[in-house]
Amino acid sequence: MNHKTAFRQGMTDGIPIALGYMAVSFTFGIMAKNAGLTAFQAVLLSLTNLTSAGQFAGLGIITASASYIEMAFTQLIINLRYCLMSCALSQKLDQRTPFFHRFFIAYGNTDEIFGVCSCKEGKLHPFYSYGVIAVASPGWAFGTFLGVISGSILPGRVLSALGVALYGMFIAVIVPPSKSSRIIAGVVLVSMAASLIFTWLPLLNQISSGFRIILLTLLIAGGAAALFPVRTNDAQ
Protein backbone atom coordinates (compact mmCIF):
# COMPACT_ATOMS: atom_id res chain seq x y z
CA MET A 1 0.00 0.00 0.00
CA ASN A 2 1.48 3.36 -1.00
CA HIS A 3 1.48 6.49 1.14
CA LYS A 4 -1.37 8.22 -0.68
CA THR A 5 -3.75 5.25 -0.52
CA ALA A 6 -3.02 4.67 3.17
CA PHE A 7 -3.54 8.35 3.95
CA ARG A 8 -6.91 8.40 2.15
CA GLN A 9 -8.09 5.30 3.99
CA GLY A 10 -7.09 6.89 7.27
CA MET A 11 -8.99 10.07 6.46
CA THR A 12 -12.10 8.04 5.60
CA ASP A 13 -11.93 6.10 8.87
CA GLY A 14 -11.25 9.31 10.78
CA ILE A 15 -14.47 11.05 9.71
CA PRO A 16 -16.73 9.34 12.31
CA ILE A 17 -14.17 10.13 15.01
CA ALA A 18 -14.03 13.78 13.93
CA LEU A 19 -17.83 14.07 14.07
CA GLY A 20 -17.92 12.59 17.56
CA TYR A 21 -15.05 14.80 18.65
CA MET A 22 -16.88 17.90 17.48
CA ALA A 23 -19.86 17.04 19.67
CA VAL A 24 -17.75 16.36 22.76
CA SER A 25 -15.31 19.25 22.32
CA PHE A 26 -18.29 21.58 21.82
CA THR A 27 -19.06 21.03 25.49
CA PHE A 28 -15.40 21.59 26.34
CA GLY A 29 -15.49 24.90 24.47
CA ILE A 30 -18.44 26.04 26.55
CA MET A 31 -16.65 25.13 29.77
CA ALA A 32 -13.47 26.84 28.57
CA LYS A 33 -15.39 30.04 27.94
CA ASN A 34 -16.96 29.86 31.39
CA ALA A 35 -13.47 29.37 32.85
CA GLY A 36 -12.32 32.63 31.27
CA LEU A 37 -10.37 31.29 28.29
CA THR A 38 -10.52 33.05 24.95
CA ALA A 39 -11.35 31.23 21.73
CA PHE A 40 -7.66 31.24 20.74
CA GLN A 41 -6.55 29.83 24.09
CA ALA A 42 -9.20 27.10 24.07
CA VAL A 43 -8.44 26.02 20.49
CA LEU A 44 -4.69 26.06 21.16
CA LEU A 45 -5.30 23.90 24.23
CA SER A 46 -7.26 21.38 22.16
CA LEU A 47 -4.67 21.29 19.36
CA THR A 48 -1.71 20.77 21.66
CA ASN A 49 -3.29 18.38 24.20
CA LEU A 50 -5.91 16.38 22.30
CA THR A 51 -7.15 14.55 25.37
CA SER A 52 -10.70 14.92 26.58
CA ALA A 53 -10.23 13.71 30.17
CA GLY A 54 -7.01 15.69 30.59
CA GLN A 55 -8.49 18.89 29.20
CA PHE A 56 -11.67 18.73 31.28
CA ALA A 57 -9.59 18.06 34.40
CA GLY A 58 -7.22 20.87 33.44
CA LEU A 59 -10.08 23.33 33.23
CA GLY A 60 -11.10 22.47 36.76
CA ILE A 61 -7.56 23.12 37.96
CA ILE A 62 -7.41 26.42 36.06
CA THR A 63 -10.72 27.50 37.56
CA ALA A 64 -9.46 26.63 41.05
CA SER A 65 -6.24 28.61 40.42
CA ALA A 66 -4.16 25.61 41.45
CA SER A 67 -0.38 25.36 41.06
CA TYR A 68 1.53 24.21 37.98
CA ILE A 69 2.81 21.22 39.94
CA GLU A 70 -0.73 20.04 40.65
CA MET A 71 -1.62 20.54 37.00
CA ALA A 72 1.41 18.53 35.83
CA PHE A 73 0.79 15.69 38.30
CA THR A 74 -2.90 15.48 37.43
CA GLN A 75 -2.18 15.35 33.71
CA LEU A 76 0.48 12.69 34.26
CA ILE A 77 -1.93 10.43 36.12
CA ILE A 78 -4.88 10.92 33.79
CA ASN A 79 -2.89 10.52 30.56
CA LEU A 80 -0.48 7.82 31.70
CA ARG A 81 -2.59 5.23 29.90
CA TYR A 82 -1.33 6.58 26.59
CA CYS A 83 2.08 5.12 27.40
CA LEU A 84 0.52 1.66 27.34
CA MET A 85 -1.40 2.45 24.17
CA SER A 86 1.73 3.72 22.47
CA CYS A 87 3.64 0.56 23.40
CA ALA A 88 0.85 -1.57 21.98
CA LEU A 89 0.55 0.53 18.83
CA SER A 90 4.29 0.43 18.20
CA GLN A 91 4.01 -3.34 17.84
CA LYS A 92 1.70 -2.79 14.88
CA LEU A 93 4.35 -0.80 13.04
CA ASP A 94 7.03 -2.38 10.92
CA GLN A 95 10.34 -2.70 12.77
CA ARG A 96 12.00 -0.61 10.06
CA THR A 97 9.64 2.33 10.64
CA PRO A 98 11.78 5.43 11.40
CA PHE A 99 11.57 7.02 14.82
CA PHE A 100 10.10 10.30 13.56
CA HIS A 101 7.01 8.43 12.34
CA ARG A 102 6.51 6.95 15.78
CA PHE A 103 7.02 10.42 17.29
CA PHE A 104 4.31 12.07 15.20
CA ILE A 105 1.88 9.16 15.53
CA ALA A 106 2.19 9.47 19.32
CA TYR A 107 0.73 12.98 19.11
CA GLY A 108 -2.62 11.66 17.89
CA ASN A 109 -2.72 8.51 19.99
CA THR A 110 -6.10 9.14 21.60
CA ASP A 111 -8.43 6.39 22.79
CA GLU A 112 -10.53 6.41 19.63
CA ILE A 113 -7.64 6.79 17.18
CA PHE A 114 -5.79 4.03 18.99
CA GLY A 115 -8.85 1.78 18.71
CA VAL A 116 -9.16 2.35 14.97
CA CYS A 117 -5.43 1.94 14.27
CA SER A 118 -4.99 -1.12 16.49
CA CYS A 119 -7.91 -2.88 14.79
CA LYS A 120 -6.41 -2.30 11.34
CA GLU A 121 -5.52 -5.67 9.82
CA GLY A 122 -1.85 -6.39 9.20
CA LYS A 123 0.97 -3.97 9.86
CA LEU A 124 0.03 -0.36 10.51
CA HIS A 125 1.08 2.06 7.78
CA PRO A 126 2.26 5.36 9.32
CA PHE A 127 0.37 7.38 6.73
CA TYR A 128 -2.86 5.61 7.66
CA SER A 129 -2.44 7.01 11.18
CA TYR A 130 -1.62 10.41 9.73
CA GLY A 131 -4.85 10.31 7.73
CA VAL A 132 -6.94 9.54 10.81
CA ILE A 133 -5.19 12.24 12.84
CA ALA A 134 -5.48 14.79 10.01
CA VAL A 135 -9.27 14.55 10.19
CA ALA A 136 -9.89 13.80 13.87
CA SER A 137 -7.60 16.43 15.39
CA PRO A 138 -9.09 19.42 13.50
CA GLY A 139 -12.55 18.08 14.37
CA TRP A 140 -11.72 18.30 18.06
CA ALA A 141 -10.28 21.81 17.70
CA PHE A 142 -13.16 23.04 15.53
CA GLY A 143 -15.75 21.73 17.98
CA THR A 144 -13.93 23.60 20.74
CA PHE A 145 -14.06 26.79 18.70
CA LEU A 146 -17.80 26.42 18.05
CA GLY A 147 -18.42 25.81 21.73
CA VAL A 148 -16.57 28.96 22.77
CA ILE A 149 -18.29 31.29 20.34
CA SER A 150 -21.84 29.97 20.40
CA GLY A 151 -22.27 27.23 22.98
CA SER A 152 -23.53 29.44 25.77
CA ILE A 153 -26.88 29.93 24.02
CA LEU A 154 -27.80 26.23 24.17
CA PRO A 155 -30.00 24.84 26.97
CA GLY A 156 -28.57 22.56 29.62
CA ARG A 157 -30.32 19.43 28.33
CA VAL A 158 -28.65 19.77 24.95
CA LEU A 159 -25.25 20.18 26.59
CA SER A 160 -25.79 17.02 28.64
CA ALA A 161 -26.73 15.11 25.49
CA LEU A 162 -23.56 16.24 23.74
CA GLY A 163 -21.49 14.96 26.65
CA VAL A 164 -22.77 11.42 26.02
CA ALA A 165 -21.27 11.43 22.51
CA LEU A 166 -17.85 10.40 23.84
CA TYR A 167 -19.26 7.13 25.16
CA GLY A 168 -20.96 6.54 21.82
CA MET A 169 -17.55 6.73 20.15
CA PHE A 170 -16.15 4.14 22.54
CA ILE A 171 -19.00 1.78 21.69
CA ALA A 172 -18.41 2.30 17.98
CA VAL A 173 -14.75 1.35 18.45
CA ILE A 174 -15.28 -1.92 20.35
CA VAL A 175 -18.40 -3.36 18.69
CA PRO A 176 -16.97 -4.31 15.24
CA PRO A 177 -13.97 -6.32 16.54
CA SER A 178 -16.15 -7.88 19.25
CA LYS A 179 -18.50 -9.23 16.60
CA SER A 180 -15.67 -10.96 14.76
CA SER A 181 -13.90 -12.45 17.81
CA ARG A 182 -15.36 -14.16 20.86
CA ILE A 183 -12.10 -13.59 22.71
CA ILE A 184 -12.27 -9.82 22.18
CA ALA A 185 -15.95 -9.84 23.15
CA GLY A 186 -15.07 -11.69 26.34
CA VAL A 187 -12.28 -9.26 27.16
CA VAL A 188 -14.67 -6.35 26.65
CA LEU A 189 -17.27 -7.89 28.98
CA VAL A 190 -14.66 -8.66 31.64
CA SER A 191 -13.36 -5.10 31.35
CA MET A 192 -16.83 -3.66 31.82
CA ALA A 193 -17.48 -5.86 34.86
CA ALA A 194 -14.11 -5.06 36.42
CA SER A 195 -14.59 -1.33 35.85
CA LEU A 196 -17.99 -1.54 37.53
CA ILE A 197 -16.48 -3.36 40.52
CA PHE A 198 -13.74 -0.74 40.87
CA THR A 199 -16.40 1.98 40.79
CA TRP A 200 -18.70 0.50 43.44
CA LEU A 201 -16.52 -1.33 45.95
CA PRO A 202 -15.04 0.64 48.87
CA LEU A 203 -11.29 1.27 48.78
CA LEU A 204 -11.16 0.30 45.09
CA ASN A 205 -13.29 3.31 44.18
CA GLN A 206 -10.69 5.54 45.83
CA ILE A 207 -8.22 4.77 43.03
CA SER A 208 -8.00 7.61 40.51
CA SER A 209 -9.47 7.03 37.06
CA GLY A 210 -6.07 7.23 35.40
CA PHE A 211 -4.45 4.58 37.61
CA ARG A 212 -7.63 2.50 37.43
CA ILE A 213 -7.40 2.35 33.65
CA ILE A 214 -3.72 1.43 33.78
CA LEU A 215 -4.25 -1.28 36.41
CA LEU A 216 -7.20 -2.87 34.63
CA THR A 217 -5.43 -2.68 31.29
CA LEU A 218 -2.36 -4.49 32.63
CA LEU A 219 -4.37 -7.16 34.43
CA ILE A 220 -7.00 -7.87 31.79
CA ALA A 221 -4.90 -7.40 28.67
CA GLY A 222 -2.00 -9.30 30.25
CA GLY A 223 -4.29 -12.14 31.27
CA ALA A 224 -5.84 -12.32 27.82
CA ALA A 225 -2.40 -12.32 26.20
CA ALA A 226 -1.28 -15.17 28.46
CA LEU A 227 -4.42 -17.27 28.00
CA PHE A 228 -5.01 -16.56 24.31
CA PRO A 229 -1.63 -15.74 22.71
CA VAL A 230 -1.66 -14.52 19.13
CA ARG A 231 0.87 -16.18 16.90
CA THR A 232 3.08 -13.92 14.81
CA ASN A 233 1.68 -15.29 11.57
CA ASP A 234 -1.86 -14.53 12.71
CA ALA A 235 -0.98 -10.94 13.54
CA GLN A 236 0.57 -10.16 10.17
Side-chain angles (χ1 to χ4, degrees):
M1 182 186 301
N2 58 46
H3 297 346
K4 186 178 295 186
T5 301
F7 188 81
R8 288 177 179 174
Q9 288 184 359
M11 292 185 67
T12 300
D13 293 343
I15 292 175
I17 298 178
L19 295 176
Y21 276 178
M22 287 180 62
V24 178
S25 62
F26 193 93
T27 306
F28 172 77
I30 297 171
M31 294 181 61
K33 181 179 181 180
N34 294 336
L37 272 66
T38 65
F40 174 78
Q41 292 171 334
V43 172
L44 182 62
L45 182 61
S46 289
L47 283 175
T48 54
N49 284 263
L50 200 61
T51 163
S52 58
Q55 289 182 216
F56 279 106
L59 275 183
I61 296 175
I62 292 174
T63 304
S65 299
S67 65
Y68 289 123
I69 295 178
E70 184 175 351
M71 172 70 80
F73 186 71
T74 301
Q75 295 302 315
L76 174 64
I77 295 176
I78 293 177
N79 297 318
L80 199 57
R81 67 187 186 277
Y82 293 125
C83 293
L84 299 175
M85 294 182 185
S86 295
C87 290
L89 201 59
S90 66
Q91 304 303 309
K92 290 278 293 181
L93 295 169
D94 192 279
Q95 294 182 354
R96 296 167 296 180
T97 302
F99 173 77
F100 71 88
H101 281 309
R102 302 174 186 270
F103 182 83
F104 287 117
I105 290 174
Y107 158 73
N109 192 18
T110 65
D111 301 81
E112 297 76 25
I113 295 176
F114 167 77
V116 170
C117 292
S118 61
C119 292
K120 188 70 175 175
E121 294 184 1
K123 288 296 183 181
L124 179 64
H125 197 297
F127 280 81
Y128 174 83
S129 297
Y130 293 156
V132 179
I133 297 171
V135 175
S137 178
W140 180 262
F142 185 62
T144 300
F145 175 75
L146 293 178
V148 173
I149 64 174
S150 62
S152 58
I153 63 175
L154 295 177
R157 292 183 178 180
V158 176
L159 301 180
S160 298
L162 290 174
V164 181
L166 181 63
Y167 303 100
M169 286 190 296
F170 287 143
I171 295 175
V173 168
I174 64 175
V175 167
S178 298
K179 286 184 177 180
S180 59
S181 173
R182 292 183 178 180
I183 296 176
I184 295 179
V187 170
V188 170
L189 292 176
V190 171
S191 301
M192 294 171 61
S195 180
L196 186 63
I197 292 174
F198 270 67
T199 301
W200 282 357
L201 288 185
L203 296 181
L204 291 180
N205 59 14
Q206 301 300 315
I207 301 176
S208 65
S209 59
F211 279 125
R212 187 184 308 171
I213 292 174
I214 294 172
L215 180 61
L216 292 179
T217 300
L218 289 174
L219 292 176
I220 298 174
L227 295 174
F228 310 102
V230 178
R231 293 176 298 179
T232 303
N233 292 337
D234 295 336
Q236 295 296 325

